[in-house]
Amino acid sequence: MNIRIFLIGLLSVFCTYSNAQDKSDNIKPQWMHSKPKPTNSTFVYTTKTVHGATLEDARKESVAVLLDEAGLSRGVSVTSDYNSTRDRHTQIINGQRHSESERKFHVTTTVKGKETQFHAENVDEYWERGADGSIKLTTLYMRSVDNTTPRFDDVRLTTNYGARGLWRSAIVPGWGQFYKGSYVKGGLILGGSVLLAGGIIYTENMRQDYMNKIAKTHNTGNIRSYKNSADNFAMGRNICIGALAALYVYNVVDAIVAPGARRVIMRKNADGSGYALLPSLTADGGPAIVAQVTF
């Protein structure tokens, strides 16, 4: 039986997956697959994907692209007045400290004598480092529409899914992990469960087959040989049962304990907080960014 080899290989893949490097998170945020839906028509959710030599360069480029989308094209001579706030708070998830920050910026821009209002909020970001060392950055924004003051959703970020992952994995191993965005882990758990269940069926059938052979013969040598084979398959069956039980328990515990893909959820009450990531334009109309970091 190669059950131990299989389990060692499964464990090594889990370790490799959990130690992934060169990205902001091991799991891509949920909003990269499905953007949140705004609760009113004064704003939209939008994502911007850019590349930069460094993370800071990519962030500047992201803001420049956002300004372009708002009609504040690069090269246009404008004067702007910025207002920004930052709120940073910390919460404990599964015994680990997670910091969350919310950023908002308000830009009052005059283009050729006409005042334009532009409001935006940087909700979240995800980045990956390429083989050449460059950064691919995807940012989720809320931005105003129609030159009106938006009623942004009061949102927060979380990796906690509560019992929703638990009951799914309790029914089908790996389902909770798929639901939380851990597709590789979910696939490994589901595939491992199927293989181990197949191993239980196969070894039990072989054990029963040798027991039937014992009942049909009176040859002492054959009986000894058949019994030895039946015992080996019984041991293999028991190993598969134990491994499947252990994998199932791990699957259920992981479904409720392990953080999932970061997701955006709405808070009931708005508090007007934000954080300082300010889009800007230089005197000659080039894109720039002003950042304020609070520790």
Side-chain angles (χ1 to χ4, degrees), residues 190-245:
L190 179 60
S193 298
V194 171
L195 288 176
L196 290 171
I200 293 172
I201 295 172
Y202 171 74
T203 52
E204 173 58 21
N205 286 340
M206 293 301 296
R207 187 197 69 82
Q208 189 61 49
D209 183 60
Y210 279 107
M211 294 301 294
N212 292 336
K213 289 181 179 180
I214 292 175
K216 295 178 181 179
T217 184
H218 298 286
N219 186 296
T220 304
N222 287 343
I223 291 176
R224 186 181 301 109
S225 176
Y226 294 156
K227 187 176 185 307
N228 184 61
S229 295
D231 289 343
N232 287 337
F233 279 107
M235 181 182 297
R237 177 204 59 195
N238 293 338
I239 291 175
C240 288
I241 291 174
L244 181 59

Side-chain angles (χ1 to χ4, degrees), residues 75-177:
V76 175
S77 179
V78 301
T79 58
S80 301
D81 172 55
Y82 302 99
N83 293 295
S84 175
T85 57
R86 178 189 183 92
D87 177 45
R88 189 176 186 86
H89 55 278
T90 302
Q91 63 175 331
I92 304 298
I93 300 177
N94 302 326
Q96 296 183 347
R97 185 180 300 274
H98 294 265
S99 294
E100 296 181 356
S101 59
E102 300 158 4
R103 312 174 190 178
K104 296 180 182 178
F105 50 82
H106 166 220
V107 184
T108 302
T109 301
T110 303
V111 182
K112 296 181 180 179
K114 181 180 180 181
E115 185 178 275
T116 300
Q117 297 287 328
F118 177 69
H119 303 256
E121 180 175 341
N122 182 325
V123 180
D124 195 17
E125 66 178 29
Y126 173 83
W127 59 265
E128 295 176 303
R129 191 183 308 278
D132 59 353
S134 64
I135 298 294
K136 178 182 178 182
L137 172 68
T138 303
T139 308
L140 174 66
Y141 293 100
M142 291 187 287
R143 61 174 294 270
S144 58
V145 295
D146 298 330
N147 195 29
T148 59
T149 300
R151 300 190 305 275
F152 285 144
D153 291 337
D154 188 27
V155 300
R156 71 181 181 91
L157 305 173
T158 182
T159 58
N160 188 10
Y161 286 73
R164 284 172 289 184
L166 172 62
W167 69 261
R168 285 174 168 82
S169 282
I171 297 173
V172 179
W175 186 13
Q177 285 74 17

